[in-house]
Amino acid sequence: MTQIATVERILRDGRAEIAVPRQTACGHDCGSCAGCGVTGQSVRARAENPIGAEPGQKVVVHSSTRNLLGIAALVYLTPLAGFFLGWIGAAAANLSAPVCYGAGGLGFALGLVPALLRDRRLRRQGGMAFTIVRFF
């Protein structure tokens, strides 16, 4: 996955701190919507800087699409699967509808745990791996 970023500063280890504009599912066409509230927000990350980019320069950064899709599946699909497993398990035990929904909610909450653990591990490692590939 490639994105356009701005180099904010150069870190001591030679990597760069970059600001990547936050993307939205709608394609970021805020002129026709402006309903999500993410206009102008950016995500800060660290990136390998093999081309020697300097602060203020616009660059193209690359990150692993596979890692990004894995994180998205963990964040979105695991809680959903937890909900259905909890609900189906309670329904299979012939429990009442409120108990089934409660079990689904518990399954959903438990499905969030792997995403939270992955987020903590990723933060300890310094975030997603980006590499500056060229100037924009």
Side-chain angles (χ1 to χ4, degrees):
M1 176 178 189
T2 58
Q3 295 175 291
I4 298 169
T6 303
V7 177
E8 295 290 315
R9 65 187 176 111
I10 304 300
L11 304 172
R12 291 182 197 167
D13 60 2
R15 294 188 302 167
E17 182 177 286
I18 58 173
V20 182
R22 185 169 291 221
Q23 299 294 316
T24 61
C26 66
H28 216 59
D29 187 15
C30 297
S32 65
C33 174
C36 66
V38 272
T39 306
Q41 292 183 359
S42 62
V43 176
R44 297 211 186 286
R46 294 181 179 153
E48 296 295 325
N49 188 10
I51 65 170
E54 295 294 325
Q57 292 181 317
K58 295 260 189 213
V59 292
V60 176
V61 295
H62 176 76
S63 62
S64 170
T65 303
R66 180 178 176 203
N67 288 343
L68 187 62
L69 291 176
I71 291 169
L74 187 65
V75 169
Y76 293 109
L77 296 180
T78 305
L80 187 63
F83 173 81
F84 284 116
L85 287 174
W87 189 85
I88 290 169
N94 281 336
L95 299 175
S96 67
V99 174
C100 290
Y101 289 120
L106 180 62
F108 182 88
L110 290 174
L112 292 173
V113 171
L116 293 172
L117 294 174
R118 175 72 171 128
D119 179 60
R120 287 183 181 167
R121 192 172 86 203
L122 194 60
R123 285 179 192 258
R124 277 195 310 270
Q125 295 172 345
M128 281 192 60
F130 288 98
T131 302
I132 298 174
V133 293
R134 63 183 169 88
F135 295 104
F136 180 67

